[in-house]
């Protein structure tokens, strides 16, 4: 974290509220961190800040397993929640990298849409209630523990994706769903001539896969060898009978698209999926920069190729993951070392934004990262976002400057 002090880690909501209230009254600034897995995103804070960690704000507040709801403190890790839920045959589709570190609060604050959204929907749709410490230290509560109690605007959702600039999430209540019994993963080489047809075939399958990727590079993320043109990796989950049907459909659809051979395995399928997701923010220290570009599934392969070519013009090595069902493109560009990357990183950043104005930096440890266009082109709603910041955090106490447009 780019902060001046060692983190303080309060153990209770009250203690956290007191710290925030004091900072707010005294003009102090607070930088919020959970598992820090997204510390490579965003702009430097506009002033030295007190680092506030949520990692000791843990524990289950309520677990109504028969009602398929759970309430947890925001510093709990995703792995902690998943292991607990797995023990009762349930799950929440958290897709974040490094779930052993990533926290519930950081995940909601980042508000990403993960690869399994095509099948399971957005994480925010599982959020049924929350507690937030506001910039003046007071606690706001929204929603509750029942799935249908929302009257009017659901305030919990306002904080999802606000990167800690509107309040600090201290508790989240979720609905859960029964965990799919079995998982299976498909791997196959994906020659360039087959890509377009394979993507279209994946989108049209009668039983939607949980996730599907074209992975090019990131060698250790699936089975060590991804060939020159990358691999397609598809995750299926559900009952045994559903998997059998989905497997037949997928195999023949990929075969018709010209994908040469398919390898299928059940053991370790979920771990392989997680390794692909982990790779999104894997970084090579100071010699790489990783971008995320939102796209339509039908355009994503071509856009990935265009930015790969651009990186090659800068003599940068590329690794790419394309989410075939949702369209997200992740590109990691690396130089031989920090110095060679440093000589071109800023002009490459300009060039990538000319091609893809919305490209966001998601991981970079190079010292020049502060000069990059970290959020890409500001969204049309940026003025409304500024107005919300002014209303919720008038003294700019929480994560000031980190978010898009310097919010
Ligand atoms: C490939 C990929 C897939 C992803 N898929 C999904 C997905 O499916 N669904 C999804 O929701 N997210 C997804 N994410 C994003 C995910 O939110 C983060 O990767 C991670 O879970 C953040 O957790 P963290 O504790 O490490 O946060 P940190 O890195 O510590 O913080 C992230 C941001 O949140 C702020 N923050 C941290 N804790 C709090 C808090 N308690 N209150 C307010 N602000 C806080 C921080 O200041 C920072 O701005 C994905 C990310 C990647 C790279």
């Amino acid at each position: 974290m780019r902060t001046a002090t060692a983190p303080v880690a309060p153990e209770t909501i009250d203690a956290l509220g007191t710290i925030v209230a004091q900072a707010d009254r005294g003009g102090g600034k607070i930088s919020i961190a959970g598992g820090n897995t997204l510390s490579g995103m965003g702009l430097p804070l506009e002033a030295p800040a007190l680092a506030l960690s949520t990692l000791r704000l843990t524990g289950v507040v309520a677990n109504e397993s028969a009602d398929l709801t759970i309430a947890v403190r925001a510093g709990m890790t995703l792995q902690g929640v998943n292991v607990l839920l797995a023990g009762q045959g349930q799950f929440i589709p958290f897709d974040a990298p490094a779930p052993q570190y990533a926290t519930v609060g950081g995940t909601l604050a980042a508000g990403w849409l993960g690869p399994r959204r095509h099948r399971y929907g957005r994480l925010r749709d599982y959020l049924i209630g929350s507690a937030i410490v506001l910039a003046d230290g007071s606690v706001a509560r929204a929603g509750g523990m029942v799935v249908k109690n929302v009257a009017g605007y659901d305030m919990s959702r306002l904080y999802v994706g606000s990167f800690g600039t509107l309040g600090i999430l201290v508790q989240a209540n979720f609905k859960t769903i029964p965990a799919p019994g079995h998982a299976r993963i498909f791997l196959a080489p994906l020659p360039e001539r087959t890509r377009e047809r394979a993507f279209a075939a994946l989108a049209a399958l009668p039983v939607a896969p949980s996730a599907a990727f074209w992975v090019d590079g990131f060698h250790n993320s699936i089975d060590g060898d991804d060939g020159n043109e990358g691999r397609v990796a598809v995750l299926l989950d559900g009952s045994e009978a559903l998997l059998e049907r989905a497997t037949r459909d997928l195999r023949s659809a990929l075969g018709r698209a010209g994908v040469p051979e398919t390898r299928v395995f059940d053991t370790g399928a979920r771990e392989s999926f997680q390794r692909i997701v982990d790779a999104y923010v894997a970084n090579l220290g100071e010699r790489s920069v990783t971008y995320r570009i939102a796209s339509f599934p039908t355009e994503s392969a071509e856009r990935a190729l265009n930015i790969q070519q651009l990186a090659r013009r800068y003599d940068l090595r590329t690794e790419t993951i394309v989410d075939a069902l949702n369209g997200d493109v992740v590109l990691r560009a690396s130089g031989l070392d920090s110095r060679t990357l440093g000589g071109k990183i800023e002009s490459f950043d300009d060039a990538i934004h000319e091609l893809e104005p919305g490209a966001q930096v998601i991981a970079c440890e190079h010292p020049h990262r502060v000069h990059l266009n970290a959020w890409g082109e500001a969204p049309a709603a940026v003025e409304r976002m500024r107005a919300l910041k002014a209303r919720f955090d008038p003294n700019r106490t929480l994560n000031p400057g980190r978010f898009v447009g310097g919010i």
Side-chain angles (χ1 to χ4, degrees):
M1 286 302 283
R2 290 143 278 160
T3 52
T5 56
V8 289
E11 283 178 46
T12 65
I13 294 177
D14 283 351
L16 190 147
T18 305
I19 294 165
V20 174
Q22 272 170 0
D24 195 51
R25 279 198 300 273
K29 307 294 171 196
I30 290 181
S31 131
I32 310 153
N36 250 333
T37 59
L38 280 192
S39 60
M41 267 196 100
L43 301 163
L45 293 200
E46 68 193 32
L50 171 80
L52 182 76
S53 163
T54 62
L55 287 182
R56 286 163 81 187
L57 206 64
T58 57
V60 176
V61 182
N63 180 6
E64 314 286 351
S65 65
D67 293 340
L68 296 172
T69 58
I70 192 166
V72 297
R73 294 276 189 250
M76 208 161 158
T77 63
L78 304 184
Q79 182 166 283
V81 180
N82 279 336
V83 167
L84 173 84
L85 289 177
Q88 54 198 48
Q90 294 167 10
F91 96 125
I92 303 171
F94 295 123
D95 278 351
Q100 66 277 34
Y101 303 113
T103 61
V104 165
T107 306
L108 287 165
W112 278 43
L113 300 173
R116 287 187 297 175
R117 68 182 183 267
H118 183 73
R119 170 87 183 270
Y120 292 110
R122 302 166 299 184
L123 181 60
R124 72 177 201 201
D125 298 328
Y126 291 77
L127 185 68
I128 54 174
S130 61
I132 316 280
V133 169
L134 299 174
D136 65 1
S138 62
V139 182
R141 290 181 191 275
M145 276 297 274
V146 284
V147 174
K148 284 196 181 197
N149 76 343
V150 179
Y153 187 70
D154 181 358
M155 290 299 287
S156 297
R157 303 211 176 161
L158 188 60
Y159 300 94
V160 175
S162 65
F163 276 83
T165 54
L166 299 179
I168 303 177
L169 194 90
V170 288
Q171 181 182 319
N173 310 350
F174 292 105
K175 66 177 173 179
T176 67
I177 49 176
H182 299 268
R184 178 167 291 173
I185 210 149
F186 277 79
L187 286 180
L190 193 64
E192 189 173 342
R193 66 187 160 74
T194 65
R195 243 172 253 150
E196 205 177 310
R197 274 192 296 153
F199 274 40
L202 288 166
L205 284 170
V207 179
S210 297
F213 307 96
W214 164 33
V215 185
D216 187 1
F218 295 99
H219 293 274
N220 296 318
S221 60
I222 22 176
D223 67 348
D225 168 24
D226 53 12
N228 285 337
E229 297 174 292
R231 290 187 167 263
V232 59
V234 184
L235 176 74
L236 295 174
D237 53 26
S239 67
E240 239 172 319
L242 188 78
L243 279 200
E244 287 313 314
R245 188 185 148 199
T247 304
R248 278 195 304 274
D249 292 346
L250 178 57
R251 201 168 246 149
S252 54
L254 288 181
R256 281 196 304 277
V259 174
E261 65 184 63
T262 326
R263 203 153 71 76
V264 177
F265 55 90
D266 293 4
T267 310
R270 292 205 170 97
E271 290 76 8
S272 298
F273 165 69
Q274 185 61 50
R275 278 206 300 281
I276 296 172
V277 175
D278 286 350
Y280 280 48
V281 289
N283 64 66
L284 296 172
E286 292 189 356
R287 64 186 170 101
S288 79
V289 51
T290 308
Y291 291 90
R292 176 179 68 149
I293 291 131
S295 172
F296 294 110
T298 45
E299 296 173 4
S300 54
E302 195 188 330
R303 289 167 78 170
L305 285 174
N306 290 341
I307 47 176
Q308 283 179 345
Q309 273 164 14
L310 177 74
R312 271 187 223 114
R313 286 209 290 278
Y314 282 81
D315 268 336
L316 295 170
R317 199 179 141 234
T318 63
E319 297 179 90
T320 319
I321 302 176
V322 177
D323 177 336
L325 299 174
N326 302 296
D328 301 343
V329 176
V330 166
L331 173 103
R332 182 163 84 187
S334 20
L336 278 178
D337 50 36
S338 173
R339 204 173 47 82
T340 50
L341 180 66
K344 47 188 103 164
I345 188 171
E346 288 169 50
S347 42
F348 176 62
D349 187 66
D350 288 341
I352 202 167
H353 284 104
E354 235 169 77
L355 197 61
E356 293 287 354
Q360 295 178 343
V361 177
I362 58 172
C364 182
E365 285 180 10
H366 196 278
H368 290 186
R369 79 176 296 285
V370 294
H371 304 301
L372 306 183
N373 183 357
W375 292 106
E377 188 178 58
V382 72
E383 288 314 318
R384 260 177 287 148
M385 291 160 73
R386 276 192 223 288
L388 277 174
K389 174 72 171 173
R391 169 83 182 74
F392 279 80
D393 182 11
N395 301 328
R396 298 183 65 73
T397 303
L398 304 175
N399 274 354
R402 181 164 192 184
F403 198 22
V404 59
I407 287 170

